[in-house]
Amino acid sequence: MTTDFLVIGTGIAGLTFTLKVCKFGKVIVITKKSDVDSSTNYAQGGIAAVFDKRDSFKFHISDTLVAGDGLCNEKPLQTMVEEGPRLVSELMELGVDFSRVKTENNKERFDLAIEGGHSKRRIVHARDFTGREIETTLLSRVRSKKNVQVYEDCTACDLVVENNRCCGVYVLLGNRIEPIASKLTLLATGGCGRVYLHTTNPSIVTGDGIAMAYRAGGEIRNMEFIQFHPTSFYGKEIDDRKFLISEAVRGEGGVLRTKDGKTFMEKYHPLGCLAPRDIVARAIDTELKKMEGNYVYLDITHLDKERIKQRFPTIYETCLDLGVDITERPIPVVPAAHYVCGGVATDLDGRTTIEGLYAAGECAYTGVHGANRLASNSLLESLVFAEQAARDASKKIGKIERIKIAKIKNEGRKCDEEVIGQLVKEIRETMWDYVGIVRSNQRLKVAQRKIKDLKGKVEKLYESCEITHSLIELQNLATIAELITMCAIKRKESRGLHYNTDYPKKSNRFKKDTVVTTKV
Ligand code: FAD
Ligand code: SIN
């Protein structure tokens, strides 16, 4: 297969890029499961953007800077905040049905919500299924374009990079390895939450893009900053993931309580339950350790029942299926791995350090989130930097020659799926136990040793077995575990999402990104 633009991933970043570049050449879009399988599809809270008269770009920037704890990259942050409202309005024009309310003069405006760390109402949402609205709308637009081909069940295994130029990718299609030669390639593969035992992320989120870019010599930044969402449902999981209870629930007045009914967030931050996520997740962790409990409660039983059902239909219905009527009983919640602030280093135009390779969305590091992402800034970042990358790629496409890629065979013995499953489990448990919300030098060293050992076993399998979808994911999870641990060991301070009990304070010496690459 050959193409002008190759897009890896069908979340908000991949689809936005596709819609913008398809006027300028042929696009192949690949996705490793069905086209809707993405984190985007599960986003609940919404997209942060300035629409309210009482809000301003300055406020949005300063809230993001506070959450980012000294590490935000200000130029891309300004671009993100300033381009946000135009691109959110564009989504609405494409057909995304965001929730709206009537104004006094009988016009309509967005029903703006508030979430942790935001000083103003600026979360544009479609009740509590914002992601699904965006995903299905963008997909139907992409599906209608003649020069776009979408391949489902097509897993990228490795980038093809020659003399630091990306000329395409090898994919697993059925049980064959096929080359796709492209002039320009976008990584839009999402985050890496599945590297942790407990996560809100769906099964596709195994850090493939970040791991592939790292193997190909690309620069990776700040992988230690893993965001744990404070409130996922404690108890049964759904499709092997923790069900998220949106921060918007706290925005509407939800209160966190310990099991004996006492509130506690006022002890940790002046914003109480609406403090930035790192603070709330650590506070819950501390309270759980104090009382040796498994969960705390998120209580909205004091709110109007009809309002709860209307505003949070997905959360209401899902919790009911899981055995809790949230209008009657508090919801048992625990923190779970949710988002990675680091990733493949990109510039303002989404360019990575490998020529011809762009990255956008959660797999990319733009620097806007610093050490901790402000709620609902992720969909926004994906949207804005997918457009930036598309603009740059469209300008360049005419000047680039395609390079042929050699075919390779998929040979080797069949690998036992039980063995793969066990190794995945060990990686996820190690990361949860030793590189979680609270870290220490000793825990990180144990993790490093265990991951090194596991990675050795994974590499042997990869070399001797026929490549399968699960083996690709296993290899990538092992690489991601190694990267997070490596970055966490390098950062000898506590900042934002990275908390190490041996260095409980921030240090000016570490007011910089953690940079890793295989290039010498
Ligand atoms: P994704 O949407 O994750 O898409 C990744 C795509 O890459 C998928 O199509 C996948 O199949 C494909 N892919 C991956 N690896 C390969 C491979 N090897 N080969 C081929 N294809 C591959 N953020 C907000 O701003 N607001 C919210 O309200 C919000 N709520 C969230 C709720 C949940 C439950 C979760 C999990 C996240 C939430 N986030 C939210 C975060 C946000 O949804 C994600 O950061 C964002 O959607 C990422 O978009 P993306 O396009 O980068 O990746
Ligand atoms: C949520 O709805 O709480 C998730 C928002 C986000 O991850 O930004």
Side-chain angles (χ1 to χ4, degrees):
M1 289 185 269
T2 59
T3 183
D4 295 318
F5 303 97
L6 170 64
V7 178
I8 312 177
T10 50
I12 185 171
L15 296 175
T16 300
F17 180 90
T18 302
L19 286 177
K20 305 262 170 190
V21 295
C22 66
K23 301 184 240 1
F24 302 92
K26 175 182 165 186
V27 191
I28 288 185
V29 185
I30 64 167
T31 184
K32 69 176 171 180
K33 275 181 99 182
S34 84
D35 54 9
V36 288
D37 279 312
S38 59
S39 287
T40 302
N41 199 39
Y42 295 100
Q44 293 181 354
I47 308 191
V50 174
F51 281 101
D52 194 289
K53 283 200 292 290
R54 286 153 293 190
D55 197 3
S56 70
F57 292 153
K58 218 169 101 198
F59 289 142
H60 191 175
I61 289 173
S62 76
D63 290 346
T64 308
L65 288 171
V66 171
D69 209 4
L71 279 195
C72 296
N73 198 343
E74 293 201 30
K75 182 69 193 126
L77 171 55
Q78 189 184 345
T79 303
M80 177 179 85
V81 166
E82 291 181 0
E83 299 296 323
R86 174 179 61 81
L87 286 169
V88 170
S89 303
E90 211 174 88
L91 280 181
M92 197 176 72
E93 281 151 30
L94 287 175
V96 178
D97 190 12
F98 289 122
S99 300
R100 276 158 285 172
V101 285
K102 285 248 177 314
T103 59
E104 281 153 17
N105 47 4
N106 233 12
K107 287 198 176 135
E108 278 195 332
R109 63 164 174 78
F110 288 129
D111 175 27
L112 297 172
I114 191 157
E115 290 178 350
H118 289 274
S119 60
K120 304 282 175 209
R121 289 197 163 258
R122 64 169 76 97
I123 317 296
V124 179
H125 62 96
R127 300 213 264 168
D128 64 355
F129 44 80
T130 312
R132 200 174 71 213
E133 260 298 308
I134 294 174
E135 181 71 21
T136 47
T137 305
L138 290 178
L139 264 176
S140 73
R141 292 287 171 160
V142 161
R143 289 280 188 194
S144 71
K145 301 288 175 194
K146 278 207 187 69
N147 51 346
V148 178
Q149 278 174 295
V150 180
Y151 290 88
E152 294 178 310
D153 299 311
C154 179
T155 306
C157 332
D158 262 310
L159 297 166
V160 183
V161 175
E162 280 171 24
N163 301 322
N164 201 42
R165 154 144 223 106
C166 178
C167 9
V169 70
Y170 284 115
V171 298
L172 181 72
L173 199 54
N175 58 1
R176 282 170 309 148
I177 303 274
E178 297 282 351
I180 304 180
S182 57
K183 291 183 180 172
L184 293 172
T185 300
L186 174 79
L187 280 179
T189 48
C192 59
R194 302 296 297 187
V195 78
Y196 284 92
L197 187 60
H198 302 295
T199 177
T200 61
N201 290 188
S203 65
I204 51 106
V205 189
T206 50
D208 299 3
I210 300 171
M212 284 191 288
Y214 180 63
R215 282 197 293 276
E219 188 179 284
I220 311 293
R221 286 183 180 230
N222 285 4
M223 291 296 288
E224 67 275 37
F225 296 119
I226 300 293
Q227 185 166 71
F228 292 83
H229 196 292
T231 58
S232 72
F233 189 91
Y234 172 81
K236 265 191 271 173
E237 300 203 333
I238 293 181
D239 301 333
D240 195 26
R241 75 189 148 83
K242 290 235 163 267
F243 178 64
L244 182 78
I245 310 295
S246 174
E247 202 152 305
V249 171
R250 276 174 283 137
E252 289 290 323
V255 179
L256 287 163
R257 299 181 191 280
T258 47
K259 272 206 270 185
D260 54 9
K262 293 198 180 107
T263 61
F264 55 91
M265 272 314 300
E266 63 281 0
K267 288 188 288 187
Y268 294 90
H269 197 277
L271 288 172
C273 292
L274 283 177
R277 255 176 219 177
D278 55 335
I279 291 158
V280 184
R282 258 195 316 276
I284 294 176
D285 190 68
T286 309
E287 292 295 323
L288 290 180
K289 281 179 184 143
K290 264 202 279 184
M291 58 184 193
E292 294 181 6
N294 295 330
Y295 56 86
V296 294
Y297 281 125
L298 177 56
D299 187 3
I300 49 168
T301 53
H302 54 289
L303 301 182
D304 179 73
K305 290 183 180 21
E306 287 316 306
R307 167 80 182 142
I308 294 174
K309 290 183 199 170
Q310 190 277 333
R311 174 67 179 83
F312 301 114
T314 317
I315 297 174
Y316 173 74
E317 290 294 339
T318 311
C319 287
L320 209 54
D321 286 348
L322 293 167
V324 179
D325 180 344
I326 63 174
T327 64
E328 302 284 346
R329 281 173 51 202
I331 315 165
V333 291
V334 278
H338 183 64
Y339 182 83
V340 58
C341 294
V344 186
T346 55
D347 65 10
L348 208 55
D349 293 322
R351 290 180 297 212
T352 70
T353 55
I354 298 173
E355 270 178 61
L357 181 69
Y358 294 83
E362 195 171 333
C363 69
Y365 160 91
T366 61
V368 294
H369 308 305
N372 176 34
R373 173 175 69 92
L374 188 66
S376 289
N377 266 354
S378 170
L379 292 173
L380 179 66
E381 180 200 33
S382 305
L383 197 60
V384 170
F385 292 98
E387 185 192 61
Q388 293 281 116
R391 195 179 296 133
D392 193 72
S394 309
K395 272 193 255 155
K396 295 214 170 98
I397 196 74
K399 300 174 200 137
I400 297 171
E401 294 289 316
R402 208 169 18 238
I403 299 170
K404 254 189 136 181
I405 309 179
K407 285 209 164 213
I408 52 172
K409 288 209 169 106
N410 189 11
E411 290 172 331
R413 66 186 163 90
K414 285 251 178 299
C415 188
D416 187 339
E417 285 295 322
E418 279 291 317
V419 174
I420 295 179
Q422 184 56 34
L423 288 167
V424 167
K425 186 165 165 271
E426 284 178 42
I427 293 171
R428 298 181 70 195
E429 282 173 353
T430 303
M431 293 304 286
W432 185 257
D433 292 341
Y434 300 100
V435 201
I437 300 175
V438 174
R439 302 161 180 178
S440 72
N441 285 349
Q442 208 182 342
R443 283 184 220 178
L444 292 175
K445 283 284 168 207
V446 173
Q448 194 179 38
R449 204 165 7 87
K450 282 177 175 268
I451 297 296
K452 187 169 174 226
D453 178 50
L454 287 165
K455 197 158 177 264
K457 291 182 188 162
V458 172
E459 269 158 18
K460 278 201 190 116
L461 287 184
Y462 208 86
E463 279 157 21
S464 60
C465 291
E466 184 187 75
I467 305 302
T468 58
H469 177 84
S470 52
L471 196 52
I472 293 170
E473 290 193 336
L474 170 64
Q475 188 199 31
N476 292 330
L477 286 172
T479 304
I480 294 294
E482 182 188 36
L483 286 171
I484 296 172
T485 311
M486 201 190 317
C487 290
I489 287 175
K490 279 175 184 260
R491 185 167 292 283
K492 299 190 190 320
E493 64 161 354
S494 288
R495 182 189 293 275
L497 297 160
H498 174 71
Y499 187 76
N500 182 334
T501 51
D502 290 299
Y503 315 105
K505 297 227 163 74
K506 248 187 313 221
S507 150
N508 261 341
R509 215 155 56 86
F510 288 95
K511 201 175 174 211
K512 58 183 182 191
D513 289 345
T514 313
V515 183
V516 286
T517 173
T518 53
K519 272 218 172 117
V520 276

